[in-house]
């Protein structure tokens, strides 16, 4: 039975390590439930013994429009990313246009360009074109985070589709577009899910583009909602942390519902070229 | 990793094979048509990249080479200034600290992230009860919006009411002014950044470990190698390709970090936690009198460093695949 006992010990160590790693997340939740008068208490309450929902009421009151805007921007970014990335991934994987290799390299390099530099370039363009402070301008900017990644994921996935499948479709008289729509896309479900998840999450989390390109807009995303809370020198940390908890919901959902896609995305983004 | 392996297409286009019927002229026409189809599918992306990558980068380069004011920024008639912006940036008192902080921030972050990630990957590599679930939970810090993790850390590191100082107090260490003192600000943002980066290292190194065949370890164990020997002589050398990938990508990604530092310290106090990224932002957007030219110049310095390491990364990748 020693092996079993050792197994239990390893699990116990694993739980302790995970708990340590997740302590900041726990603390965020704890503070979000702490009443304002206990916020500066010394020592701080390690457990939410007198939970209050003031913070969450403040979120409902102040942050709902921001959350809806983020949802809109996230979904818009997913749509734009898929429309651009899926066909291009198919072309690079299966149709192999001349110059496809160079295009792949360009995408890889595009991922390494600092967001702050892109933001500054976009700032000038948006100012000239009058796109400043529009939600769809922000969708365009946010999509630049996800499109190169998306194409590379689709390319990697679609090159695993057997050529015979496409050849059969062609013999049946399907054109390239039909083959793409009714064969390639359906079998690429996993890649579609992975790319959608990441493009949503990145758009939802974006702060640089939002703060430079949409800081004065009517529709501002949740990252700016939190930033405004902090920036006003707001001392109501339960409200700030409650907003942070709500803003983390998509990440949490993603992990619960689609964990294997997340891990696949992390590795594919790095190991793939 | 499973995705990575499928991508070695040395075959002729599918259209070619599917067209066994007629002579060369017909075939050539088909070939041309299939090439056109290929570009039709890729064209939206190419246009998109030109409009939303190449053009912003060009604008940024243009910004850094002209003398812009707010007015000429809108009207677009700023005079050409050559290297003046770069010259100004180079002689700015912030330049030295920004370069130093960028290097310290990046190198310390990736070193600790890699060390912790590797240790955790080895730990999770032996299958145990709940290991899958716990490994998934480790991804949380990486998935959270940066503003969420940054503001949480900012509050945890609060000098008066933060839980970190409370914990230090319990072990008899006097409180540290984490975000407010020039000695500790950089350390604070590094700590938070390490926390965010560990999951990425863990996932990639774990997938690297999974690709090392188990029978190698069995053989090593038969030869009497202990756990440390196995790690040093087997795991570590076999992980070298993955290590290169993680470190180079980590470098490029950490170089870009902006949100975290800006939200926690705004690069301050003074320049004590300014990096190239936050400095570039501060020049361009951080004050009522924006200095777009110098801001863009700093951004372009950042791009050059990122691209140098990015190209090194693609070079390493290609060598590994060959």
């Amino acid at each position: 039975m020693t092996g079993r006992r050792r197994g239990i010990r390893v699990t116990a160590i694993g739980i302790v390590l995970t708990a340590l790693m997740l302590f900041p997340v726990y603390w965020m939740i704890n503070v979000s439930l702490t009443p304002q008068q206990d916020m500066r208490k010394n020592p701080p309450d390690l457990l939410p013994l007198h939970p209050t929902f003031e913070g969450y009421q403040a979120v409902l009151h102040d942050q709902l429009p921001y959350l809806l805007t983020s949802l809109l921007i996230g979904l818009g970014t997913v749509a734009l990313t898929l429309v651009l990335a899926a066909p291009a991934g198919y072309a690079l994987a299966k149709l192999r246009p001349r110059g496809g290799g160079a295009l792949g390299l360009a995408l890889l390099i595009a991922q390494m360009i600092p967001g702050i530099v892109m933001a500054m370039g976009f700032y000038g363009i948006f100012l000239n074109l009058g796109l400043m402070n529009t939600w769809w301008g922000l969708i365009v900017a946010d999509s630049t985070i996800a499109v190169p990644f998306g194409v590379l994921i689709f390319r990697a996935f679609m090159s695993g589709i057997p050529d015979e499948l496409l050849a059969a479709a062609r013999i049946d008289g399907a054109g390239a577009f039909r083959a793409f729509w009714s064969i390639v896309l359906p079998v690429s479900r996993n890649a579609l899910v992975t790319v959608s998840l990441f493009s949503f999450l990145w758009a939802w989390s974006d702060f640089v583009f939002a703060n430079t390109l949409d800081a004065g807009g009517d529709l501002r995303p949740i990252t700016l909602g939190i930033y405004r809370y902090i920036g006003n020198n707001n001392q109501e940390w339960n409200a700030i942390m409650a907003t942070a908890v709500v803003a983390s919901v998509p990440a949490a959902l993603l992990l619960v519902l689609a964990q294997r896609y997340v891990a696949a995305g992390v590795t594919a983004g790095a190991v793939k070229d | 990793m499973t995705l990575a392996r499928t991508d070695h297409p040395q075959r002729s286009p599918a259209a070619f094979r599917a067209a066994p019927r007629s002579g060369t002229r017909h075939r050539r026409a088909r070939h041309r048509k299939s090439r056109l189809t290929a570009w039709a599918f890729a064209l939206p992306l190419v246009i998109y990249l030109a409009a939303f990558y190449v053009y912003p980068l060009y604008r940024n380069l243009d910004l850094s080479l002209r003398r812009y004011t707010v007015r000429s920024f809108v009207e677009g008639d700023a005079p050409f200034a050559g290297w003046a912006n770069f010259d100004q940036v180079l002689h700015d008192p912030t330049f030295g600290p920004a370069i130093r902080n960028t290097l310290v921030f990046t190198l310390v972050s990736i070193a600790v992230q890699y060390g912790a990630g590797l240790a955790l990957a080895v730990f999770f590599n032996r299958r145990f009860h709940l290991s899958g679930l716990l490994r998934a939970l480790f991804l949380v810090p990486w998935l959270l919006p940066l503003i969420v993790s940054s503001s949480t850390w900012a509050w945890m590191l609060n000098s008066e009411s933060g839980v970190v100082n409370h914990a230090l107090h319990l072990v008899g260490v006097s409180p540290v002014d984490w975000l407010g003192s020039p000695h500790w600000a950089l350390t604070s943002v590094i700590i938070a950044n390490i926390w965010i980066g560990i999951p990425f290292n863990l996932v990639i190194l774990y997938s690297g470990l999974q690709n090392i065949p188990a029978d190698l370890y069995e053989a090593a164990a038969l030869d009497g190698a202990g756990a440390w020997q196995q790690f040093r002589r087997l795991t570590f050398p076999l992980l070298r390709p993955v290590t290169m990938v993680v470190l180079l990508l980590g470098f490029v990604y950490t170089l870009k970090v902006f949100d975290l530092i800006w939200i926690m310290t705004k690069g301050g106090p003074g320049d004590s936690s300014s990096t190239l990224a936050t400095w570039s932002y501060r020049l361009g957007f951080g004050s009522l009198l924006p200095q777009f030219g110098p801001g863009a110049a700093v951004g372009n310095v950042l791009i050059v460093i990122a691209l140098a390491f990015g190209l090194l990364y693609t070079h390493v990748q290609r060598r590994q695949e060959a």
Side-chain angles (χ1 to χ4, degrees):
Chain A
M1 293 310 265
T2 50
R4 185 133 172 221
R5 187 168 298 161
R6 233 184 99 208
I8 289 172
R9 216 178 58 202
V10 175
T11 301
I13 297 173
I15 291 174
V16 170
L17 288 174
T18 314
L20 272 176
M21 186 72 177
L22 293 189
F23 180 78
V25 178
Y26 167 73
W27 199 247
M28 164 175 82
I29 297 168
N30 184 30
V31 172
S32 78
L33 295 167
T34 305
Q36 194 53 39
Q37 69 268 16
D38 292 348
M39 203 58 77
R40 302 234 169 223
K41 206 165 103 183
N42 195 11
D45 288 326
L46 293 181
L47 294 167
L49 295 175
H50 316 285
T52 170
F53 289 93
E54 290 164 21
Y56 289 91
Q57 274 159 6
V59 173
L60 271 181
H61 189 257
D62 298 339
Q63 304 280 17
L64 215 51
Y66 293 92
L67 286 165
L68 291 176
T69 306
S70 280
L71 194 64
L72 170 73
I73 288 172
L75 293 176
T77 306
V78 171
L80 183 57
T81 305
L82 291 182
V83 165
L84 287 162
Y90 172 57
L92 288 179
K94 286 293 171 201
L95 308 175
R96 287 181 211 106
R98 189 172 287 175
L103 194 55
L105 187 67
L107 291 166
L108 198 66
I109 288 171
Q111 287 183 297
M112 303 181 165
I113 294 167
I116 177 72
V117 178
M118 292 293 289
M120 211 170 284
F122 272 126
Y123 185 79
I125 297 171
F126 276 31
L127 211 58
N128 290 150
L129 297 181
L131 299 183
M132 206 56 114
N133 298 327
T134 57
W135 57 272
W136 45 276
L138 192 52
I139 288 179
V140 169
D142 280 348
S143 72
T144 59
I145 314 173
V147 166
F149 167 83
V151 179
L152 294 177
I153 295 275
F154 277 120
R155 184 184 71 174
F157 190 90
M158 288 170 177
S159 54
I161 299 174
D163 282 340
E164 289 69 22
L165 200 62
L166 298 171
R170 203 155 298 224
I171 288 166
D172 287 348
F177 184 76
R178 266 285 302 284
F180 171 68
W181 184 255
S182 44
I183 295 176
V184 175
L185 274 189
V187 299
S188 309
R189 216 190 103 238
N190 284 0
L192 283 165
V193 175
T194 307
V195 173
S196 306
L197 290 178
F198 276 91
S199 47
F200 184 84
L201 199 64
W202 287 334
W204 178 274
S205 312
D206 161 69
F207 170 73
V208 184
F209 287 135
N211 200 32
T212 46
L213 306 175
D214 193 25
D218 296 329
L219 294 176
R220 279 170 291 171
I222 187 63
T223 46
L224 290 188
I226 301 179
Y227 190 59
R228 196 192 56 145
Y229 257 5
I230 310 171
N232 289 350
N233 228 342
N234 192 325
Q235 292 304 310
E236 280 159 28
W237 276 90
N238 54 15
I240 298 175
M241 289 293 108
T243 320
V245 171
V246 175
S248 310
V249 166
L253 276 181
L254 224 142
L255 203 60
V256 173
L257 299 177
Q259 188 216 325
R260 67 196 177 99
Y261 298 106
V262 176
V266 181
T267 5
V271 182
K272 244 333 295 107
D273 101 40
Chain B
M1 290 297 264
T2 42
L3 287 177
R5 254 181 270 127
T6 53
D7 192 31
H8 288 285
Q10 300 295 335
R11 291 150 277 170
S12 64
F16 237 9
R17 286 210 227 163
R21 16 186 179 132
S22 56
T24 40
R25 218 173 63 194
H26 197 97
R27 202 194 279 177
R28 204 175 293 152
R30 251 197 105 93
H31 186 54
R32 192 182 310 140
K33 191 168 160 242
S34 85
R35 201 186 293 156
L36 278 178
T37 320
W39 273 108
F41 274 91
L43 196 62
L45 175 75
V46 174
I47 295 172
Y48 172 88
L49 287 179
F52 299 118
Y53 261 100
V54 179
Y55 186 50
L57 290 176
Y58 163 76
R59 281 298 293 259
N60 204 61
L61 189 65
D62 180 64
L63 270 180
S64 67
L65 296 176
R66 285 174 194 277
R67 207 182 314 275
Y68 270 102
T69 60
V70 176
R71 206 182 62 85
S72 60
F73 197 84
V74 179
E75 290 172 3
D77 57 354
F80 189 75
W83 295 105
N85 289 320
F86 289 91
D87 206 49
Q88 182 191 333
V89 160
L90 218 63
H91 292 98
D92 194 292
T94 304
F95 185 77
I99 288 277
R100 197 188 60 98
N101 291 341
T102 306
L103 282 178
V104 172
F105 180 81
T106 309
L107 295 179
V108 175
S109 290
I110 58 174
V112 180
Q113 282 166 4
Y114 175 77
L118 181 59
L120 286 163
V122 170
F123 176 76
F124 278 110
N125 198 31
R126 34 181 173 172
R127 213 145 287 191
F128 55 87
H129 231 39
L130 295 180
S131 62
L133 174 71
L134 297 179
R135 205 156 37 80
L137 286 173
F138 257 86
L139 283 172
V140 169
W142 190 75
L143 292 175
L144 291 181
L146 277 173
I147 190 150
V148 167
S149 15
S150 321
S151 44
T152 303
W153 275 99
W155 182 242
M156 285 173 53
L157 292 171
N158 185 288
S159 58
E160 289 142 41
S161 329
V163 67
V164 173
N165 270 354
H166 175 65
L168 289 178
H169 171 75
L170 290 182
V171 294
V173 178
S174 53
V176 175
D177 186 7
W178 289 103
L179 301 174
S181 109
H183 294 294
W184 289 102
L186 188 62
T187 312
S188 306
V189 292
I190 290 176
I191 291 173
N193 189 54
I194 287 170
W195 183 72
I196 293 165
I198 286 177
F200 174 77
N201 285 263
L202 166 61
V203 171
I204 306 223
L205 290 167
Y206 176 82
S207 82
L209 286 181
Q210 294 279 297
N211 282 356
I212 299 178
D215 41 348
L216 282 181
Y217 287 105
E218 281 161 27
L222 278 180
D223 287 344
W228 171 245
Q229 285 269 327
Q230 285 183 23
F231 175 78
R232 219 181 58 123
R233 305 207 176 270
L234 210 60
T235 312
F236 199 66
L238 286 173
L239 268 186
R240 193 171 298 147
V242 183
T243 296
M244 282 297 281
V245 168
V246 172
L247 291 182
L248 283 171
L249 272 188
F251 189 91
V252 175
Y253 290 155
T254 313
L255 215 53
K256 302 204 284 190
V257 171
F258 159 76
D259 316 35
L260 174 92
I261 303 178
W262 189 256
I263 293 158
M264 285 179 74
T265 67
K266 288 205 159 57
D271 284 325
S272 58
S273 56
S274 284
T275 61
L276 289 175
T278 63
W279 186 32
S280 161
Y281 183 86
R282 204 182 62 205
L283 286 168
F285 302 104
S287 71
L288 291 172
L289 208 74
Q291 295 186 279
F292 296 113
V298 175
N300 285 331
V301 172
L302 193 59
I303 280 203
V304 169
I305 305 177
L307 285 191
F309 282 86
L311 289 177
L312 190 61
Y313 163 77
T314 56
H315 178 73
V316 168
Q317 274 287 84
R318 195 155 296 172
R319 262 227 325 242
Q320 280 174 15
E321 269 174 26

